[in-house]
Amino acid sequence: MTALGAAAALVLAACGGEGAGGSSSGNEGSAPEDLTIGVSMPTQTSERWIADGENVQEQLEELGYEVDLQYAGDDIPTQSQQVDQMITQGADVLIIAAIDGTALSSQLQAAADAGIPVISYDRLIRDSENVDFYVTFDNFAVGVAQAESLVEGLGEGGPFNIELFAGSLDDNNAFFFFEGAMSVLQPLIDDGTLVVKSGQTDIEQVATLRWQQETAQKRMEDLLTSTYNDGSRVDGVLSPYDGLSRGIITALQNAGYGPTTDGGAQPMPIVTGQDAEIASVKLIADSVQYSTIFKDTRDLAEQAVIAAEAFLDGDEPEANNTEDYDNGVKVVPSFLLPVETVTADNIQTALVDSGYWTAEEVESGQAE
Ligand code: GAL
């Protein structure tokens, strides 16, 4: 047990209660089929969250648990309502990937009052002490990997014109990705190798509410008109997520970047991404998008299941990071998974050989 876990257990013991995350969930000895895990996912517009939901559900059902899986359509009130309902219907553990990391405090209080442990999934739930565990990837490393692949794709020389995009400011991950990326890019901006021609380098200026593809496309279009109408070109774009990358690429293609049927085109800038979404993997195979960051959602689902089982057994899940994820109220014990950069060179080894996508899916750009 971690020091933090021990302290929590002591406090709970002192209260004499069965609080969430405590040493007794009250479920020890119950058969899995008598236990329900509520799984709350943000949206089905992105295929990664569909895969996350399915993976968690399948793995829990294989162990015999009942699963209540809900998607909230990226709508905060819908997610609050779904979580409320899971609690009133007697969920024994909650696994939640929040839309807005700060919007679930009252639900989490209700969960704690009912002794239901809460696992924050991929995105940290903020401003609540009632988050018992966090399973995620190494989010700072994601940003570092994105920036390193941008720099690698640009190659020797410079100065290169780049533009920066960040994710949704209500998602704690967006800050980790951006800070990780800037830890690599800032020194190169400072020494003049990289030029952010728009001058927009603050996360507030470059953020994309709800990670929406259309919003990123619109901002890229605006940047091209406002900043690159003088004959200059964009050489690279830091994009933190494949959905945004596709919007950015559409804007660039509409402005004449990338191969066209008449051949006379500006080379496509180096565009990064994240999640290895199938449409983007195809764009990478076709040399349109440069890279993505692969986060194996099967492994994340497995960690969430391991954590849920630990709570149901009255134990504390094992954390491998008890420092970095302060949610504003406390440092949440976390389990961080590693990430892998994918370019055209390793689609086969990273994504096909591992069974994440089939060769046919990569070829067609569509999940089967
Ligand atoms: C983040 C997540 C990324 C990406 C993004 C948009 O929270 O960590 O992998 O999926 O949301 O959905």
Side-chain angles (χ1 to χ4, degrees), residues 290-330:
Y290 182 73
S291 63
T292 188
I293 307 301
F294 173 42
K295 306 195 301 190
D296 196 328
T297 49
R298 296 168 299 189
D299 294 344
L300 186 60
E302 190 184 344
Q303 281 309 319
V305 170
I306 290 171
E309 283 224 286
F311 282 125
L312 291 170
D313 288 346
D315 294 331
E316 291 288 324
E318 199 181 316
N320 65 5
N321 185 302
T322 50
E323 278 175 16
D324 291 331
Y325 288 94
D326 188 330
N327 79 347
V329 177
K330 70 174 193 185

Side-chain angles (χ1 to χ4, degrees), residues 42 48-49 98-102 121-124 126 134 139 167-177 203 208-211:
R48 78 146 285 189
W49 296 113
I99 298 164
D100 177 330
T102 63
Y121 185 93
D122 192 78
R123 300 173 171 173
L124 184 62
R126 295 189 51 88
Y134 180 36
N139 294 305
S168 196
L169 294 179
D170 53 11
D171 180 347
N172 196 57
N173 286 351
F175 294 87
F176 276 80
F177 302 150
I203 191 166
T208 316
L209 183 65
R210 294 283 117 75
W211 301 92

Side-chain angles (χ1 to χ4, degrees), residues 139-257:
N139 294 305
F140 190 86
V142 168
V144 169
Q146 286 168 338
E148 282 176 346
S149 81
L150 175 62
V151 171
E152 176 197 88
L154 289 168
E156 297 289 311
F160 297 107
N161 291 332
I162 64 163
E163 293 299 334
L164 311 172
F165 282 72
S168 196
L169 294 179
D170 53 11
D171 180 347
N172 196 57
N173 286 351
F175 294 87
F176 276 80
F177 302 150
F178 194 69
E179 281 160 24
M182 289 311 266
S183 72
V184 175
L185 300 179
Q186 192 62 55
L188 298 169
I189 294 172
D190 293 342
D191 75 12
T193 309
L194 302 178
V195 178
V196 183
K197 196 155 181 276
S198 67
Q200 298 180 10
T201 55
D202 292 338
I203 191 166
E204 286 77 16
Q205 294 174 302
V206 306
T208 316
L209 183 65
R210 294 283 117 75
W211 301 92
Q212 294 231 333
Q213 177 166 340
E214 309 73 46
T215 308
Q217 179 176 338
K218 174 78 173 57
R219 177 161 175 264
M220 191 70 235
E221 285 165 359
D222 291 347
L223 287 169
L224 289 168
T225 343
S226 64
T227 310
Y228 295 90
N229 58 356
D230 57 358
S232 60
R233 61 169 264 116
V234 192
D235 299 305
V237 182
L238 173 79
S239 167
Y241 158 58
D242 286 344
L244 303 191
S245 313
R246 293 196 294 277
I248 292 163
I249 285 168
T250 303
L252 289 164
Q253 286 172 330
N254 289 344
Y257 286 88

